[in-house]
Amino acid sequence: LPPIRHVGVGHGVQWISEGWALFLARPGFWILVSLLQVLLIMMVLLVPVLGQVGAHLLIPILSAGLMVVAQRIQFNEPVTVAEAFTGFREHAPAVVNVGVWYMLGWMLIVALGLLLGGGAALSGMAVSMETQYAWLGTVIGVFGILLAVVVSLLLVIPLMMSVWLAPPLAVFHDIPAMQAMKHSFVASWRSLPAFIVAFFLVTLLLFLTTLTMGLALLVVVPIMAGSTYAAYGDLFDLPSRAGSEPVASGSAEGADA
């Protein structure tokens, strides 16, 4: 396993910046592979009931392919569309298992949120209907729903920390899913402020895509992939590749000891 490095809070912004730089290196190719991956996820989402489950399963698998694309582009190497889907072939067991754990994690979080929020709403309705304190029922319902949202967010963040860097670790270091997820979580935890900044910026970018009816995903997805690859190279002490000059400078130079 590659040794973990600690970095400062400013690196969260730097990862997004490097993701943008990687996109600008080959924008046409990035848009093409992003379009294909987004269309694949949209097709899966059309499947009744199981569509959401399948989409969450696909995300780490497709992310693994984008990590390969990012590495090729960073070192100005030839890259093919097929490599964007390498998660279905090379290292498939590890990457697929990351997808399975990611999917199960989301299912548990959603189930817990529905349980807390739904239980609070029902309790509030019961209080309103069976007592003269209707306001108390409203307070119970609103407080319960807010609690469900907060608990869900607190659980989503560790899940994202575990899955975030697992695809590149599984693909480039050939390690099992659980080991990759654990290493991803530890690396994210040691540089938590930087992770929070990057998480917030990515969330903001995804929100802004709604203003373009999702078309901006063709740019946001490459930025997300490039920033994840940049974070991977920044948070882990990786051996240099002899004879290869990166297009975008590595972010490791400013790493804190």
Side-chain angles (χ1 to χ4, degrees), residues 46-255:
L46 292 176
V47 178
V49 182
L50 297 179
Q52 289 284 344
V53 175
H56 283 92
L57 177 63
L58 278 177
I59 288 174
I61 300 173
L62 296 177
S63 176
L66 293 179
M67 295 303 99
V68 175
V69 170
Q71 185 183 66
R72 297 280 192 271
I73 291 177
Q74 183 193 27
F75 292 101
N76 200 24
E77 298 173 351
V79 60
T80 64
V81 172
E83 288 178 300
F85 298 90
T86 191
F88 291 101
R89 303 187 309 275
E90 300 177 19
H91 312 286
V95 177
V96 170
N97 283 336
V98 171
V100 170
W101 286 111
Y102 181 61
M103 174 193 67
L104 292 175
W106 267 109
M107 291 175 64
L108 289 173
I109 291 171
V110 170
L112 181 60
L114 290 174
L115 181 64
L116 290 175
L122 291 175
S123 298
M125 289 175 59
V127 170
S128 297
M129 294 172 62
E130 297 178 8
T131 71
Q132 57 182 343
Y133 303 107
W135 63 269
L136 181 59
T138 302
V139 170
I140 292 174
V142 171
F143 178 78
I145 292 173
L146 290 176
L147 177 63
V149 170
V150 171
V151 170
S152 297
L153 286 175
L154 291 176
L155 293 176
V156 163
I157 291 176
L159 177 64
M160 298 305 298
M161 291 168 65
S162 299
V163 175
W164 181 37
L165 301 174
L169 286 169
V171 169
F172 298 134
H173 301 276
D174 196 22
I175 59 178
M178 288 302 297
Q179 196 171 2
M181 293 176 68
K182 179 181 177 182
H183 213 51
S184 173
F185 178 84
V186 173
S188 303
W189 178 258
R190 290 186 182 177
S191 299
L192 186 60
F195 170 83
I196 294 296
V197 169
F199 182 80
F200 171 79
L201 291 175
V202 167
T203 302
L204 179 61
L205 288 174
L206 289 173
F207 171 76
L208 293 176
T209 61
T210 61
L211 304 179
T212 65
M213 296 185 296
L215 291 176
L217 279 174
L218 301 182
V219 176
V220 172
V221 168
I223 294 174
M224 290 170 57
S227 63
T228 298
Y229 180 77
Y232 158 75
D234 194 16
L235 293 176
F236 299 110
D237 190 8
L238 306 174
S240 59
R241 294 180 50 159
S244 296
E245 188 68 26
V247 173
S249 61
S251 57
E253 294 178 1

